[in-house]
């Protein structure tokens, strides 16, 4: 019902404004959007007060924010970021079904837009841009389809496998060697996707959630019931960084790993060799939403009034690099590793390096995450480095403004051996 109502509102508004290019119609469209954006900005301002509940409960603020977003969406129904924020609010109120419906709808809506329209919004949506592709993305997709076709006997994968094999061969011939994709100049190694090539790939397949595995119903527990919660909460309060082994119930861990290896979610392509699946870009399966909600229940002294703000999974190429040193605009960062330990050839590495140093308060967010001086910063912060080795089902929980990067990793080749991390960001913290 939600999707039908919102899509109808969007189409009616768009059609009405498209009938005439008169100044009056254009003015009406701008006024509606401006008013919708005012509601959106008011909603974001409300969220800043979620952490200050001296006068009102956080739940009350969340409900008021939801009302503002509803008003905004009535006037600006195709504002993708408003849909994303509404999903976050409903998830904070633990309405998982409602949250999923908003993310599902906005994902569908984004595919009615041009890349230019889609990219004007704040959050990454790699599925919107199908104008080009890097070789390591094509390599991943071919491996994924082969896995589904040969190992799991998925009929649709068998049908499209010959087309993808042909397409990958064309990309392989046209592009530079994979090692060079480590360079920051991604455009130099991009294959331009024209209409004919997209037809070969399949318009409903390339950068689309064309396959999602059917899982058994989700039953509690989600988080391991045997965690020493008091111990971990004391540790975090003291150190602002810790790791927890066996964080997820075994069934949930298996579901999460299956979704990331079988599901067609990884639409965001990073030039250094890894792929991203984002909450606001189709990666909204209830398994991940349940994990976000139940983590807050399990460790309330860590998360407090910090609600989920973003969620993603990254999948890596064994021959290329991981994520460079950076910080995330959040209060608490949770990284959970999903790939079995048998894939990791070096048990002392492959995880995360966290630098227990806050950025200079005078820096803005872009300066903080600029990659130009990586080596210089790593030398400067060497004494503050904490290295946490890779283990399947290990969660690293830390203050999100600590610099951090993927540690060097040596994983076996092969699709099911690709290193996968699930990241959840809670709360916000602005650089002042």
């Amino acid at each position: 019902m939600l999707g039908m109502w919102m899509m109808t509102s969007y189409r009616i508004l768009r059609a009405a404004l498209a009938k005439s290019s008169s100044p009056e119609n254009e003015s009406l469209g701008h006024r509606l959007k401006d008013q919708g954006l005012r509601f959106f900005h008011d909603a974001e301002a409300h969220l800043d007060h979620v952490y200050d509940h001296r006068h009102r409960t956080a739940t009350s603020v969340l409900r008021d924010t939801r009302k503002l977003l509803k008003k905004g969406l009535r006037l600006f129904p195709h504002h993708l970021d408003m849909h994303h924020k509404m999903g976050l609010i409903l998830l904070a109120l633990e309405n998982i079904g409602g949250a999923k419906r908003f993310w599902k709808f906005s994902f569908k809506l984004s595919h009615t837009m041009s890349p230019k329209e889609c990219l004007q919004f704040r959050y990454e949506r790699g599925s919107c841009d199908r104008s080009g592709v890097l070789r390591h993305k094509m390599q991943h997709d071919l491996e994924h389809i082969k896995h589904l076709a040969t190992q799991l006997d998925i009929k649709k994968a068998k049908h499209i496998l010959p087309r993808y094999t042909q397409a990958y061969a064309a990309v392989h011939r046209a592009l530079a060697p994979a090692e060079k994709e480590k360079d920051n100049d991604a455009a130099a190694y991009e294959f331009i996707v024209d209409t004919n090539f997209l037809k070969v790939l399949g318009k409903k397949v390339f950068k689309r959630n064309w396959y999602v595995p059917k899982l058994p119903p989700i039953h509690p527990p989600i988080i391991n019931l045997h965690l020493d919660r008091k111990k971990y909460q004391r540790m975090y309060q003291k150190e602002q960084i810790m790791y927890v082994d066996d964080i997820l119930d075994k069934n949930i861990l298996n579901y999460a790993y299956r979704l990331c290896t079988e599901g067609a979610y990884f639409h965001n392509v990073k030039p250094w060799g890894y792929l991203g699946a984002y909450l606001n870009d189709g990666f909204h399966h209830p398994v991940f939403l349940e994990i976000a909600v139940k983590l807050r229940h399990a460790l309330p002294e860590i998360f407090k009034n910090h609600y989920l703000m973003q969620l993603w999974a990254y999948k890596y190429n064994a021959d290329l690099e991981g994520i460079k040193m950076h910080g995330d605009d959040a209060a608490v960062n949770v990284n959970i590793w999903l790939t079995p330990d048998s894939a990791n050839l070096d048990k002392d590495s492959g995880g995360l390096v966290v630098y227990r140093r806050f950025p200079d308060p005078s820096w803005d967010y872009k300066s903080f995450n600029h990659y130009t001086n990586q080596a210089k910063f790593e030398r400067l912060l060497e004494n503050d480095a904490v290295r946490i080795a890779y283990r399947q089902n290990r969660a690293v929980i830390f203050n999100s403004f600590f610099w951090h990067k993927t540690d060097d990793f040596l994983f076996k080749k092969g699709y099911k051996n690709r290193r996968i991390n699930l990241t959840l960001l809670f709360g916000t913290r602005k650089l002042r």
Side-chain angles (χ1 to χ4, degrees):
M1 289 298 293
L2 167 74
M4 186 179 296
W5 173 75
M6 289 302 300
M7 186 62 82
T8 302
S9 298
Y10 170 54
R11 285 172 177 161
I12 289 172
L13 181 63
R14 205 174 201 185
L17 296 178
K19 282 182 180 178
S20 170
S21 58
S22 68
E24 292 81 4
N25 265 19
E26 291 181 7
S27 177
L28 172 62
H30 287 309
R31 287 202 305 273
L32 288 173
K33 287 184 177 181
D34 288 346
Q35 182 61 49
L37 285 173
R38 279 196 288 274
F39 283 125
F40 180 45
H41 296 320
D42 287 347
E44 290 197 309
H46 259 65
L47 282 178
D48 289 339
H49 298 297
V50 168
Y51 312 117
D52 181 8
H53 51 283
R54 289 172 295 180
H55 305 297
R56 296 196 298 166
T57 65
T59 301
S60 175
V61 177
L62 289 168
R63 286 174 177 162
D64 285 351
T65 307
R66 181 179 59 185
K67 291 177 184 177
L68 288 166
L69 288 171
K70 278 185 175 180
K71 291 178 180 178
L73 283 169
R74 286 193 186 102
L75 299 171
F76 203 159
H78 63 288
H79 194 290
L80 299 179
D81 291 345
M82 264 195 268
H83 287 282
H84 178 55
K85 288 289 186 181
M86 183 66 92
L88 292 175
I89 295 299
L90 291 173
L91 189 68
L93 293 168
E94 301 190 7
N95 181 351
I96 290 175
K100 181 190 172 184
R101 284 191 291 274
F102 271 91
W103 281 310
K104 183 178 180 180
F105 173 77
S106 65
F107 183 58
K108 182 179 178 182
L109 177 61
S110 70
H111 297 159
T112 69
M113 299 180 179
S114 69
K116 186 177 180 180
E117 283 180 296
C118 205
L119 295 174
Q120 69 179 301
F121 297 105
R122 181 186 311 166
Y123 298 98
E124 289 190 78
R125 293 178 176 86
S127 64
C128 288
D129 185 3
R130 300 199 287 180
S131 61
V133 64
L134 297 188
R135 186 162 79 165
H136 77 82
K137 163 66 173 167
M138 284 297 299
Q139 178 186 345
H140 165 272
D141 287 0
L142 181 58
E143 289 178 6
H144 174 226
I145 293 166
K146 281 183 177 178
H147 173 69
L148 294 180
T150 61
Q151 301 299 313
L152 302 180
D153 200 30
I154 304 299
K155 288 184 179 179
K156 188 169 183 179
K158 288 182 175 182
H159 176 69
I160 63 177
L161 180 57
R163 295 206 308 265
Y164 255 78
T165 302
Q166 174 192 344
Y168 177 68
V171 173
H172 184 82
R173 289 192 300 269
L175 295 184
E179 299 82 62
K180 292 188 178 181
E181 291 178 16
K182 292 181 181 180
D183 297 345
N184 202 11
D185 184 13
Y189 312 106
E190 184 175 42
F191 185 90
I192 303 304
V193 176
D194 60 21
T195 304
N196 290 332
F197 193 76
L198 185 59
K199 187 176 180 180
V200 171
L201 294 175
K203 291 182 179 180
K204 295 183 179 180
V205 174
F206 181 54
K207 288 196 173 185
R208 294 292 183 261
N209 289 15
W210 66 271
Y211 181 76
V212 175
K214 293 181 180 179
L215 301 177
I218 303 167
H219 296 296
I222 306 298
I223 305 300
N224 185 346
L225 294 175
H226 303 293
L227 297 180
D228 187 342
R229 303 180 185 202
K230 290 184 178 179
K231 167 190 164 184
Y232 288 122
Q233 289 177 138
R234 285 196 302 269
M235 190 183 302
Y236 185 86
Q237 296 302 330
K238 182 180 179 182
E239 304 292 340
Q240 297 286 287
I241 178 173
M242 63 168 191
Y243 65 84
V244 183
D245 285 332
D246 301 317
I247 184 76
L248 301 177
D249 175 79
K250 289 183 179 179
N251 285 330
I252 298 300
L253 172 65
N254 179 52
Y255 290 173
Y257 178 60
R258 280 191 60 193
L259 287 166
C260 289
T261 52
E262 297 176 26
Y265 291 116
F266 290 82
H267 310 309
N268 286 264
V269 185
K270 309 296 183 178
W272 300 282
Y274 57 97
L275 304 174
Y278 284 83
L279 176 62
N280 51 282
D281 199 25
F283 193 62
H284 49 252
H285 194 282
V287 165
F288 304 116
L289 306 185
E290 287 280 2
I291 291 171
V293 169
K294 295 306 189 294
L295 272 172
R296 294 188 66 255
H297 290 185
L299 301 167
E301 293 303 311
I302 293 176
F303 295 102
K304 298 180 180 178
N305 273 353
H306 299 312
Y307 297 94
L308 185 78
M309 298 304 289
Q310 185 55 286
L311 179 156
W312 63 70
Y314 284 150
K315 193 187 292 187
Y316 300 78
N317 185 315
D319 295 321
L320 300 176
E321 295 181 346
I323 305 171
K324 298 177 183 293
M325 185 192 290
H326 68 288
D328 295 303
D329 187 12
V332 182
N333 190 312
V334 180
N335 266 252
I336 303 174
W337 296 314
L338 302 180
T339 307
D341 291 333
S342 59
N344 185 10
L345 296 173
D346 183 352
K347 305 304 180 186
D348 295 324
S349 68
L352 198 66
V353 181
V354 180
Y355 298 88
R356 293 181 57 197
R357 177 85 69 89
F358 290 109
D360 189 302
S362 65
W363 287 18
D364 62 27
Y365 189 68
K366 288 184 179 179
S367 298
F368 174 46
N369 275 330
H370 202 277
Y371 291 150
T372 305
N373 296 315
Q374 285 279 307
K376 175 183 175 182
F377 280 125
E378 288 183 30
R379 288 193 300 271
L380 182 66
L381 300 173
E382 187 175 4
N383 292 334
D384 298 302
V386 177
R387 278 182 167 78
I388 301 173
Y390 183 96
R391 296 288 184 276
Q392 185 189 34
N393 206 16
R394 171 175 283 178
V396 185
I397 304 175
F398 59 97
N399 187 310
S400 195
F401 258 20
F402 284 156
W403 273 294
H404 53 285
K405 68 171 186 174
T406 307
D407 197 4
D408 295 335
F409 59 91
L410 182 62
F411 273 51
K412 293 178 183 176
K413 297 184 186 301
Y415 179 70
K416 290 202 74 176
N417 294 319
R418 284 176 175 257
R419 181 186 185 276
I420 302 171
N421 70 270
L422 176 66
T423 298
L424 305 97
L425 300 182
F426 293 87
T428 57
R429 179 167 295 174
K430 302 295 182 184
L431 282 169
R432 304 281 182 196

